[in-house]
């Protein structure tokens, strides 16, 4: 058996007389004598037919394997899990969504670490796949490429999954009948691919490409396309190039690379979940990233993309005009990106962008830098006596920048949803949904169902919603999530009572409860932590190990 620097992990598994049993096992899955001399490339597939986001990924994984084999490696495909936020939202099952990010990272680390893969390709579709995959790759720190499974095509009449959620609210208001809702339900999801707006999946895919962990163009491709198949094959081959150069995730996922990711997320008007996931990914690779970095970068980066949920267009329409590469070239030329960051091509970001053509003059999706949709970030990091260690708001300005109202308090998402639908929630309310944080939920559910109901009932500009849970990338309106410390750990959000005045100010980046400190101290004396909702199983383990949302809600902090 041969040995070289490109086989430093597989050689101990298959080389020498003492590894005859290992080779015997691998012969059964198709290895030949020649294959034992090649670098082994693990292909982490998140395939599942339980969601359109991932139903096509098995074919993409096979294509990536072919690319690795053709470039001189030996590919092995293995699976990790996915769950569907779109299916689980508004149910108890949604508590497993953020948990799945950790399970994905754990399983990629476990499989690759055990089997001795020299390099990896990871392919993700639904929301938590992206950060979960990259966190797994970062933990292993072996030459790796992430591939996005691609975006879905629009449904009939330019609809998508958020159209369905908001149709439910419109029905409750009386603006739609059951037949109209069913028609949207039947046609909004036409086939494979991740949800079509600049929701969390497309946001994180774009962030990872901007960071340099995907090949140029990977984040802006239709799920069912020759372009996506070509991307997968090229990713498999790229791992062999990375092995040759000994270029690893820690060489790519640097502080400046994370700043590039934040910049692109802001320019695209991306999901609040990007804050949570980028903090987690940075923590995993050992980069010091904090909430303050989002504020610092957000002061100089405008929102340029007119994409759903706050805008008009879908990712497939951005794909048609060139994806995010021309946007990145604009940002680089304006001095807003670090061009010297290494990427998985083996070249720098600036080198990758040299020959990128600008967007066509006729397009209306990406605004010019001197005509932004918003002059600074829509992602606002808020502090105050309601969120001493931070909260995350997504405020585009369309809903205003300041809201004062009276608290209407709920101890779960389901309670809030019932009161929205039956008309209890009215203009001027600030909905407080608590005990939905990483520990308290456990699992930090997304509040997509209530925010969609609010929009569907026409209350988007008249009602605010704050929570220690989080939001879907499809949520919009005056919403504040990730409030820390969370209610289950005694954060001030646990002390709010019905009728308390709350002010959210996106100009001063503050969130204030108009209750005196002596009164809050009295309420704290009466407060006691709730009993854990789960005592065994993955949710119980998660609640015991998870960090604050302000630290990325990771489960492996020392």
């Amino acid at each position: 058996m041969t040995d070289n620097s490109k086989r430093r992990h597989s050689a101990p598994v298959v080389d020498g007389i003492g590894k005859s049993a290992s080779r015997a096992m691998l012969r059964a899955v198709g290895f030949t004598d020649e294959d034992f001399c090649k670098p082994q490339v693990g292909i982490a597939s998140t395939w599942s037919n339980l969601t359109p986001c991932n139903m096509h990924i098995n074919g993409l994984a096979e294509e990536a394997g072919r690319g690795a084999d053709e470039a001189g490696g030996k590919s092995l495909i293995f699976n990790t899990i996915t769950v569907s936020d779109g299916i689980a939202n508004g149910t108890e099952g949604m508590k497993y969504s953020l948990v799945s990010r950790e399970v994905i990272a754990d399983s990629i680390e476990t499989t690759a670490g055990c089997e001795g893969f020299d390099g990896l390709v990871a392919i993700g579709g639904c929301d938590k796949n992206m950060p979960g995959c990259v966190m797994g790759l970062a933990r292993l720190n072996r030459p790796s490429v992430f591939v996005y499974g691609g975006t879905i095509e629009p449904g009939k009449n330019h609809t998508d999954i958020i159209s369905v959620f908001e149709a439910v609210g419109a029905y409750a208001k009386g603006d739609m009948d059951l037949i109209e809702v069913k028609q949207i339900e039947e046609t909004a999801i036409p086939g494979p691919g991740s949800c079509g707006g600049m929701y969390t999946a497309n946001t994180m895919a774009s962030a990872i490409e901007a960071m340099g962990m995907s090949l140029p163009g990977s984040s802006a491709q239709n799920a069912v396309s020759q372009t996506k198949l070509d991307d997968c094959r090229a990713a498999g081959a790229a791992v062999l190039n990375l092995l040759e150069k000994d270029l690893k995730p820690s060489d790519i996922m640097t502080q400046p690379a994370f700043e590039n990711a934040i910049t692109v997320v802001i320019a695209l008007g991306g999901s609040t979940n990007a804050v949570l996931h980028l903090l987690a990914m940075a923590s995993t690779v050992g980069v010091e990233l904090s909430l303050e970095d989002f504020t610092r970068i957000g002061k100089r980066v405008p929102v340029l993309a007119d994409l759903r949920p706050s805008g008009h267009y879908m990712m497939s329409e951005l794909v048609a005009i060139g994806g995010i590469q021309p946007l990145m070239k604009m940002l680089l030329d304006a001095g807003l990106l670090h061009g010297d960051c290494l990427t998985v091509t083996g070249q720098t970001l600036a080198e990758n962008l040299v020959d990128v053509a600008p967007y066509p003059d006729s397009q209306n999706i990406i605004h010019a830098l001197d005509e932004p949709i918003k002059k600074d970030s829509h992602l606002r990091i808020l502090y105050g006596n309601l969120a001493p260690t931070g909260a995350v708001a997504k405020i585009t300005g369309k809903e205003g920048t300041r809201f004062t109202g009276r608290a209407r308090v709920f101890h779960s998402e389901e309670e809030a949803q019932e009161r929205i639908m039956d008309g209890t929630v009215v203009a001027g309310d600030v909905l407080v949904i608590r005990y939905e944080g990483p520990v308290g939920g456990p699992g930090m559910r997304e509040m997509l169902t209530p925010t969609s109901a609010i929009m569907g009932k026409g209350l988007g500009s008249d009602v605010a919603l704050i929570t220690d849970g989080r939001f879907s990338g499809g949520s919009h309106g005056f919403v504040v999530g990730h409030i820390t410390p969370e209610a289950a750990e005694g954060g001030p959000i646990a002390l709010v009572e019905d009728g308390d005045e709350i002010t959210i100010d996106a100009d001063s980046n503050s969130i204030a409860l108009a209750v005196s400190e002596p009164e809050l101290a009295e309420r704290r004396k009466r407060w006691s932590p709730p009993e854990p909702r789960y005592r065994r199983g993955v949710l119980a383990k998660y609640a015991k190990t998870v960090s604050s949302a302000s630290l990325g809600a990771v489960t492996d902090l020392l």
Side-chain angles (χ1 to χ4, degrees):
M1 298 290 170
T2 60
D3 192 13
N4 56 55
S5 60
K6 292 187 286 186
R7 298 181 57 247
R8 63 185 57 169
H9 299 288
S10 62
V13 177
V14 300
D15 284 7
I17 185 64
K19 303 304 179 189
S20 291
S22 302
R23 293 194 297 275
M25 295 286 283
L26 288 168
R27 289 182 191 278
V29 299
F31 271 59
T32 64
D33 284 344
E34 291 76 18
D35 291 332
F36 294 117
C37 302
K38 299 173 182 176
Q40 291 186 24
V41 179
I43 313 293
S45 168
T46 55
W47 173 84
S48 170
N49 70 354
L50 65 81
T51 169
C53 307
N54 296 66
M55 62 190 286
H56 62 303
I57 285 179
N58 194 49
L60 300 185
E62 291 173 349
E63 201 68 18
R66 279 189 279 273
D69 294 342
E70 290 168 357
K74 177 58 180 175
S75 64
L76 297 101
I77 298 174
F78 66 98
N79 266 85
T80 180
I81 68 161
T82 189
V83 300
S84 172
D85 294 0
I87 297 171
N89 249 300
T91 74
E92 187 76 0
M94 189 61 188
K95 293 180 178 180
Y96 290 91
S97 171
L98 187 56
V99 178
S100 76
R101 185 190 74 184
E102 306 301 300
V103 177
I104 290 167
D106 289 349
S107 63
I108 290 174
E109 177 192 359
T110 299
T111 302
C114 178
E115 300 302 320
F117 299 143
D118 300 298
L120 291 128
V121 175
I123 309 172
C126 202
D127 291 11
K128 308 311 165 297
N129 298 174
M130 268 67 76
C133 285
V134 174
M135 289 164 68
L137 302 180
R139 290 181 190 174
L140 291 156
N141 203 31
R142 301 175 191 181
S144 304
V145 178
F146 174 76
V147 175
Y148 179 40
T151 188
I152 198 170
E153 295 279 2
K156 185 178 178 181
N157 297 323
H158 209 243
T159 53
D160 65 4
I161 185 62
I162 304 305
S163 307
V164 187
F165 277 100
E166 293 184 359
V168 175
Y171 170 75
K173 186 183 177 185
D175 287 349
M176 279 191 186
D177 60 31
L178 287 174
I179 293 175
E180 291 173 306
V181 175
K182 190 168 187 289
Q183 287 172 339
I184 295 173
E185 173 192 326
E186 290 175 340
T187 59
I189 312 295
S194 296
C195 298
M198 189 47 62
Y199 311 143
T200 303
N202 284 317
T203 297
M204 291 314 302
S206 300
I208 292 165
E209 180 180 332
M211 190 187 301
M213 283 298 293
S214 292
L215 293 175
S218 183
S219 70
Q221 295 166 342
N222 292 327
V224 181
S225 66
Q226 186 60 49
T227 308
K228 179 50 65 183
L229 293 173
D230 293 343
D231 179 45
C232 292
R233 188 173 289 227
V239 174
L240 275 296
N241 180 49
L242 294 173
L243 282 164
E244 186 72 40
K245 296 176 180 293
D246 194 28
L247 190 57
K248 300 179 289 293
S250 61
D251 301 312
I252 296 170
M253 297 171 65
T254 61
Q255 176 82 31
F258 276 97
E259 293 186 0
N260 286 346
I262 293 170
T263 297
V264 169
V265 166
I266 293 170
L268 289 169
S271 167
T272 53
N273 281 316
V275 178
L276 190 74
H277 295 324
L278 287 170
L279 289 172
M281 291 156 61
S283 174
T284 302
V285 80
V287 167
E288 293 187 6
L289 196 71
S290 70
L291 291 174
E292 285 69 32
D293 291 309
F294 290 84
T295 297
R296 173 176 56 84
I297 296 168
K299 290 178 180 178
R300 58 185 175 86
V301 178
V303 178
L304 300 175
D306 187 14
L307 294 167
R308 291 189 181 189
S310 299
H312 299 93
Y313 296 96
M314 294 192 186
M315 192 66 174
S316 59
E317 292 165 302
L318 181 59
V319 170
I321 63 166
I324 73 167
Q325 290 279 295
L327 171 64
M328 291 173 65
K329 182 72 176 294
M330 288 170 54
L331 295 169
L332 178 68
D333 291 345
L336 295 174
L337 291 180
H338 301 284
D340 57 349
C341 291
L342 286 170
T343 73
V344 293
T345 64
Q347 296 183 304
T348 65
L349 182 71
E351 289 170 333
N352 290 345
L353 294 172
V354 165
D355 296 323
V356 171
Y359 291 117
D361 292 337
S362 59
Q363 67 87 27
N364 297 308
I365 302 173
I366 303 296
H367 287 217
L369 282 162
D370 59 357
E371 296 180 352
I373 292 171
K374 190 174 187 293
K375 67 178 182 178
D376 56 5
S377 180
H378 64 300
L379 297 176
R380 314 303 289 191
I381 307 301
L382 310 182
Y383 294 94
N385 65 347
L386 252 180
T389 55
V392 180
K394 180 180 181 181
I395 299 174
T396 65
K398 293 180 179 179
E399 55 283 283
T401 59
R402 195 173 191 275
F403 191 100
T404 297
R406 296 289 175 180
R408 194 179 292 274
V409 181
F410 304 99
H411 285 191
S412 73
E413 178 185 1
E414 286 86 351
E415 290 180 28
Q417 179 68 7
E418 289 175 9
R419 299 291 80 81
I420 296 167
M421 296 296 285
D422 69 12
T424 301
V425 171
V426 295
D429 283 347
V430 178
L431 279 64
V432 180
I433 304 180
R434 63 191 180 196
Y435 298 107
E436 289 284 8
V439 174
M444 203 178 181
R445 285 192 290 185
E446 293 178 347
M447 302 294 120
L448 177 58
T449 301
T451 59
S452 296
I454 288 168
M455 298 304 294
K457 293 199 76 173
L459 293 169
S461 299
D462 302 316
V463 168
L465 191 158
I466 71 172
T467 181
D468 53 7
R470 58 195 176 92
F471 295 105
S472 162
S475 293
H476 55 127
F478 221 104
V479 296
V480 181
H482 308 204
I483 288 179
T484 60
E486 62 173 288
E489 296 189 322
I493 190 174
L495 309 179
V496 181
E497 295 182 358
D498 283 338
D500 288 345
E501 184 180 277
I502 294 171
T503 296
I504 304 159
D505 192 326
D507 293 321
S508 63
N509 291 332
S510 62
I511 179 167
L513 178 66
V515 175
S516 69
E517 286 302 318
E519 171 61 19
L520 288 176
E522 283 299 315
R523 292 182 187 182
R524 184 169 296 284
K525 290 178 184 178
R526 300 193 297 269
W527 180 83
S528 58
E531 289 294 314
R533 287 171 168 164
Y534 290 84
R535 295 187 177 276
R536 297 293 298 272
V538 68
L539 292 178
K541 288 191 289 184
Y542 184 84
K544 289 177 181 176
T545 58
V546 70
S547 71
S548 165
S550 291
L551 298 174
V554 295
T555 55
D556 61 348
L557 281 182
L558 296 178

